[in-house]
Amino acid sequence: DTAVSQTPKYLVTQMGNDKSIKCEQNLGHDTMYWYKQDSKKFLKIMFSYNNKELIINETVPNRFSPKSPDKAHLNLHINSLELGDSAVYFCASSQGAPTNTGELFFGEGSRLTVL
Amino acid sequence: AQSVAQPEDQVNVAEGNPLTVKCTYSVSGNPYLFWYVQYPNRGLQFLLKYITGDNLVKGSYGFEAEFNKSQTSFHLKKPSALVSDSALYFCAVSSNTNAGKSTFGDGTTLTVKP
């Protein structure tokens, strides 16, 4: 039973389109995250939610909009896709309050390719 | 601001030899330090962490790391490398003052040759 699951695993789309990536965790964690891994494998945090409340919002274009309908789900919607958005997007979760000491549990990633 | 440096893009070792993957950090407050491993086309997997207490922490797959406060380092080690240890390794830091935000290093590719 997958702990952190993301869909879709692969996404190929044209510039200017809008797309969404969904994430669900069954670990009972309070905090969920979106990370972006670029072509050089560098990993950057984008957003974090704790109990459906946005707590971390890095310098990300407002074309990216996270939504957390409940604490087990964190979705990412991207408007007007650009070539530079091509990356692997990882969802993660962790236990405890925002100042937690818990490790991150990552999904398998969603590879987005913008043509 | 917090940061992590992994000074080596690549580490090559022979199977059976000890390995070290280096990590230094900068953070305000008490550091929380983590190591993760990423195999090709997979998500990151947690290996070990230092939060408080004993400076030497042991983790999955025989890995260990030593927290050195004076050198602000948290190097990952293993006494005897396996070919299956070949992967991309990330060091990460957060603290008690940054709302749980983890900052990752740029990663080190470990290659273990038979």
Side-chain angles (χ1 to χ4, degrees), chain B residues 9-47:
Chain B
D9 291 337
Q10 185 111 18
V11 170
N12 298 313
V13 298
E15 188 174 31
N17 283 0
L19 70 87
T20 299
V21 183
K22 296 180 180 177
C23 171
T24 59
Y25 66 90
S26 174
V27 70
S28 300
N30 297 326
Y32 304 149
L33 294 154
F34 304 82
W35 276 102
Y36 294 86
V37 60
Q38 185 179 27
Y39 298 100
N41 300 313
R42 303 295 302 275
L44 281 72
Q45 297 175 32
F46 168 74
L47 280 178

Side-chain angles (χ1 to χ4, degrees), chain A residues 37 58 98 101 103-104 107-108, chain B residues 36 38 42 49 99-101:
Chain A
Q37 187 173 45
E58 289 297 280
T101 58
E103 59 272 24
L104 297 172
E108 293 290 282
Chain B
Y36 294 86
Q38 185 179 27
R42 303 295 302 275
K49 66 181 178 183
K101 173 184 165 184

